[in-house]
Amino acid sequence: MCGIVGCILKEKKDAAPVLFECIQNLEYRGYDSIGLATYDNRINVKKGKGDIKKVNREQNFKNMSGSYGIAHTRWASTGKPTPENAHPHLDDTNTVAVVHNGTLENHSEIRDELIKEGHEFISTTDTEVIPHMIKKFMDEGLNLEDAVRKCGEKIEGSYAIVAMSKDEPGKLVATRKDSPLIVAFGKEGYFVASDTPAVLDYARDVIRPKEGEIAILTKEGIEIHDENGKEIKKVPQHIDWSPEMAKKEGFDHFMIKEITEQSAAVKNTLGQRANIEKIIKSIGDVKRICFVACGTSYHASITGKYLIESLAGIACDVVIASEFKYTAKTWDEDTLVIFISQSGETFDSRMALKEARKTSKTLAIVNVAGSAMTEEAEYFIQTQAGPEIGVAATKTYLAQLTAIYLFAALMAKDEKLIRELYKVPKYIDEVVNERESIKEISKRYDFAKNAFYLGRGFSYPIALEGALKLKEITYIHAEGYAAGELKHGPLALIDEKVPVIVVIPPGDDYSKTMVNLEEVKARGAIILSVCAKGDKKTAENSKEVIEINAEVGDIIAPLVYAVPLQLISYYVTCDKGYNPDKPRNLAKVITV
Ligand code: F6R
């Protein structure tokens, strides 16, 4: 959803190489176009369409002079990905440059007014109104800080903005509403960015300005001002994620690196037990629970519903965040609404959280420390997956599941399940260590145009997640189905060209799933099953199988059986020549 960076170096050195490195770390937020602006007696701008490496080859960002500047990587929302629409955007006198993440709802009206006043626009973005307005307010006598503040009052929608003006050299001014923004203190200089992975190489002491606050960066330091311009003293939070955690470290892609990190993500999240116990105690009695999330986090939530209902006997709903407001009238003070989010910044989830807070207790399970939802929810659990850069969620999904399992098991005082959870990292590593054989299997499925994933009970959300992973990075159409539901319509689509991936762990649902497997077999489907080691019946009825440790039963299956499905999607994507870390049209953090 666009990444923005700003940096001011303490010494008189060129900032462009630093800005370039930082913005490269944010490519997971968008990669349609990129641009940098630096100041060296004038504002220099280079920008272009395409990803960072391509545009850098054409323009050589690193030779831009000036000890401070701003940078942007774009995920197009308003206006196509074209060179003109790439950020930074400037006013028509090249005095003010701005990078922006978010979407403005009233940009057309503002643009029309500015055009009437004689301003000329060159892009079709919403952002371009911002530098024009800042310039106009500065011409009317405001300083850069006040002009940015006034601009924030005029624009509607979501934004994180960093602005610089040649009329106030040596300064960056940033503000935000509904879009993430951090400022960070480093040895070499001061930084502002959408997210911490941008700056980890340079700075790890971070402040997250609240909505409406203004951050002012100079080479002397960073000040945060409130809406009246009064300085607010804040203590930076030290981020213990190391820079290496956000690097590929010899792996071909972040996605495969992150898949191999899953056992650690689960192990580290299990370390949250004491914290989760404390939270359950403070929440007290609840009559009803509702999970709210999007995408992969929504699939983790379905597992949560099955767990809470079967272990704790509490009625539990799962709602897609963007649909939450339609059910909001049914929640009350005895309801706990649990928000699941990797980023903690997803717009739909945050809006639902705002609604839920009006009536109910709220808990956010989030991976990114200090993200918006950690501040907005009443209670907060941090999953311990470390930074996830690949756009497709993998390790954060297993970390979310781990937190949900712990939460449900602790609520139900199910020590047996908790003991089981401690064995999960070993089971995950067994699958990951077999990845070469899964790579071979994957080669036989890259022809597919459509695929189905089937599972029952706890395996149903695994099927949904398997299908999502396949479609988002391989662009193969895939559907996840409750195995028993297939005969109510989609069975008509099954023929000998359609792979069906059946998730069939040992447990209560095994025999019923076997019936569904036989149904698709009878229609000629190519069946790839994920089953327990030594499960002869499944092997006999499938074209081929991926075997999982037979100790993994159906209840903990989501934490282990999801892994081969991630690996299949990864290898099919590589086989097809696509980049799994940067699927088309997607971005890591959806703040619109
Ligand atoms: C898919 C994926 C997305 C996210 C969704 C919610 O691999 O990553 O479906 O799960 O956009 O994002 P968060 O969890 O950050 O709220």
Side-chain angles (χ1 to χ4, degrees):
M1 281 299 107
C2 299
I4 61 176
V5 171
C7 132
I8 291 203
L9 296 181
K10 293 179 190 172
E11 304 282 321
K12 220 176 158 5
K13 274 199 317 201
D14 287 339
V18 177
L19 281 166
F20 180 77
E21 237 180 272
C22 293
I23 200 67
Q24 204 164 11
N25 293 336
L26 287 188
E27 242 196 324
Y28 64 88
R29 298 180 65 90
Y31 28 82
D32 293 333
S33 51
I34 179 189
L36 260 72
T38 57
Y39 180 81
D40 189 8
N41 295 318
R42 64 187 188 96
I43 294 178
N44 314 299
V45 179
K46 286 188 181 186
K47 55 185 184 177
K49 175 176 180 301
D51 69 21
I52 290 176
K53 285 201 175 74
K54 172 187 166 278
V55 182
N56 186 47
R57 271 197 303 274
E58 293 159 3
Q59 310 229 10
N60 193 7
F61 289 116
K62 291 185 195 164
N63 72 2
M64 295 169 77
S65 59
S67 63
Y68 74 97
I70 54 182
H72 188 274
T73 183
R74 181 163 188 249
W75 182 88
S77 52
T78 308
K80 285 184 182 166
T82 61
E84 298 73 37
N85 285 344
H87 298 219
H89 285 285
L90 288 95
D91 69 297
D92 47 8
T93 62
N94 289 354
T95 306
V96 175
V98 166
V99 285
H100 163 223
N101 165 33
T103 27
L104 305 184
E105 286 154 18
N106 59 342
H107 67 100
S108 306
E109 295 89 312
I110 297 176
R111 177 187 280 248
D112 290 347
E113 269 172 40
L114 289 166
I115 288 172
K116 269 191 217 142
E117 291 168 16
H119 293 253
E120 285 176 22
F121 287 79
I122 50 178
S123 81
T124 54
T125 63
D126 50 353
T127 303
E128 201 182 354
V129 299
I130 300 174
H132 282 265
M133 267 201 288
I134 294 174
K135 170 73 169 84
K136 176 180 147 170
F137 298 144
M138 289 184 80
D139 286 347
E140 289 168 2
L142 297 186
N143 61 22
L144 180 59
E145 175 186 347
D146 289 337
V148 168
R149 185 177 288 108
K150 187 161 175 188
C151 180
E153 288 160 11
K154 297 271 176 208
I155 52 185
E156 288 164 17
S158 60
Y159 55 84
I161 301 166
V162 189
M164 58 198 267
S165 165
K166 75 174 189 210
D167 288 344
E168 265 183 60
K171 193 181 277 180
L172 295 177
V173 175
T175 190
R176 64 172 281 259
K177 179 179 166 269
D178 287 337
S179 288
L181 190 78
I182 58 118
V183 293
F185 300 75
K187 248 212 301 243
E188 292 181 52
Y190 302 100
F191 296 82
V192 52
S194 301
D195 207 350
T196 43
V199 300
L200 284 177
D201 281 309
Y202 295 97
R204 286 203 263 152
D205 292 314
V206 163
I207 292 174
R208 290 173 196 268
K210 289 209 160 64
E211 297 202 349
E213 291 177 351
I214 302 268
I216 298 151
L217 287 78
T218 61
K219 71 182 173 54
E220 274 74 47
I222 303 175
E223 285 184 13
I224 309 285
H225 291 181
D226 70 10
E227 64 271 23
N228 302 312
K230 200 162 152 263
E231 187 177 352
I232 314 165
K233 290 280 176 210
K234 297 198 179 204
V235 182
Q237 178 188 12
H238 185 73
I239 302 293
D240 54 12
W241 289 356
S242 70
E244 290 68 35
M245 286 165 100
K247 303 235 151 66
K248 275 195 237 165
E249 292 177 335
F251 285 91
D252 289 340
H253 300 102
F254 280 110
M255 183 173 175
I256 188 67
K257 175 184 174 245
E258 287 159 1
I259 289 174
T260 67
E261 289 170 345
Q262 296 193 105
S263 57
V266 170
K267 209 185 285 170
N268 294 337
T269 305
L270 286 170
Q272 291 293 301
R273 176 181 176 154
N275 183 29
I276 296 176
E277 265 168 332
K278 238 191 272 162
I279 289 173
I280 292 175
K281 220 165 151 196
S282 329
I283 290 173
D285 285 341
V286 288
K287 294 208 172 73
R288 191 174 170 195
I289 290 178
C290 175
F291 282 92
V292 181
C294 312
T296 292
S297 302
Y298 173 73
H299 299 153
S301 302
I302 300 175
T303 308
K305 168 187 163 70
Y306 283 27
L307 278 170
I308 290 195
E309 288 187 337
S310 62
L311 300 181
I314 298 173
C316 192
D317 299 271
V318 191
V319 184
I320 290 172
S322 53
E323 297 286 317
F324 180 75
K325 74 172 188 186
Y326 308 109
T327 64
K329 288 213 172 69
T330 67
W331 316 122
D332 59 23
E333 66 279 6
D334 293 326
T335 306
L336 170 67
V337 188
I338 305 180
F339 291 83
I340 310 290
S341 175
Q342 175 279 130
S343 60
E345 300 286 351
T346 303
F347 185 79
D348 291 329
S349 300
R350 288 187 59 209
M351 292 307 110
L353 175 49
K354 226 180 213 175
E355 274 300 305
R357 281 185 58 132
K358 292 181 192 157
T359 50
S360 307
K361 301 174 183 182
T362 55
L363 163 68
I365 299 182
V366 167
N367 194 53
V368 178
S371 55
M373 288 167 73
T374 66
E375 286 172 12
E376 291 161 357
E378 203 176 335
Y379 303 97
F380 148 57
I381 297 168
Q382 191 189 353
T383 52
Q384 302 292 317
E388 186 175 72
I389 309 297
V391 165
T394 53
K395 64 174 179 171
T396 55
Y397 171 59
L398 289 202
Q400 289 170 343
L401 283 175
T402 307
I404 293 170
Y405 271 83
L406 261 183
F407 186 85
L410 288 166
M411 247 186 152
K413 302 193 171 47
D414 188 337
E415 285 297 330
K416 186 165 167 270
L417 177 58
I418 293 172
R419 280 197 298 279
E420 277 289 286
L421 292 178
Y422 283 91
K423 296 186 203 155
V424 164
K426 174 184 99 156
Y427 301 140
I428 292 173
D429 279 340
E430 286 170 0
V431 181
V432 170
N433 293 339
E434 284 300 314
R435 59 185 186 274
E436 281 303 315
S437 64
I438 296 176
K439 184 176 176 179
E440 286 309 306
I441 291 174
S442 303
K443 286 183 184 150
R444 298 193 274 278
Y445 292 85
D446 60 3
F447 72 90
K449 296 261 179 299
N450 298 288
F452 279 87
Y453 286 71
L454 303 185
R456 246 174 206 273
F458 284 99
S459 297
Y460 165 48
I462 310 177
L464 293 176
E465 177 58 10
L468 176 61
K469 283 291 91 90
L470 193 78
K471 61 188 146 196
E472 70 178 327
I473 59 173
T474 68
Y475 317 139
I476 295 171
H477 168 244
E479 301 268 1
Y481 256 90
E485 183 66 10
L486 205 71
K487 59 186 174 292
H488 298 289
L491 198 56
L493 293 169
I494 303 294
D495 63 21
E496 57 289 340
K497 288 194 219 66
V498 179
V500 178
I501 293 91
V502 183
V503 183
I504 180 164
D508 289 351
D509 293 320
Y510 177 86
S511 309
K512 285 200 173 75
T513 310
M514 181 56 71
V515 171
N516 304 130
L517 190 156
E518 285 165 348
E519 283 163 5
V520 289
K521 186 183 174 198
R523 272 80 190 174
I526 309 157
I527 300 173
L528 166 61
S529 293
V530 188
C531 62
K533 207 175 200 121
D535 175 354
K536 286 208 187 81
K537 190 163 182 199
T538 300
E540 278 160 16
N541 282 295
S542 309
K543 180 160 183 278
E544 55 192 326
V545 294
I546 295 172
E547 292 187 322
I548 305 292
N549 192 318
E551 289 169 15
V552 179
D554 52 356
I555 296 182
I556 59 162
L559 286 158
V560 187
Y561 277 60
V563 180
L565 305 188
Q566 298 167 339
L567 286 164
I568 290 169
S569 299
Y570 172 74
Y571 287 121
V572 171
T573 308
C574 296
D575 240 26
K576 288 166 91 67
Y578 301 134
N579 181 348
D581 287 342
K582 294 181 190 171
R584 67 188 180 206
N585 306 335
L586 300 180
K588 186 79 187 153
V589 192
I590 311 289
T591 50
V592 291

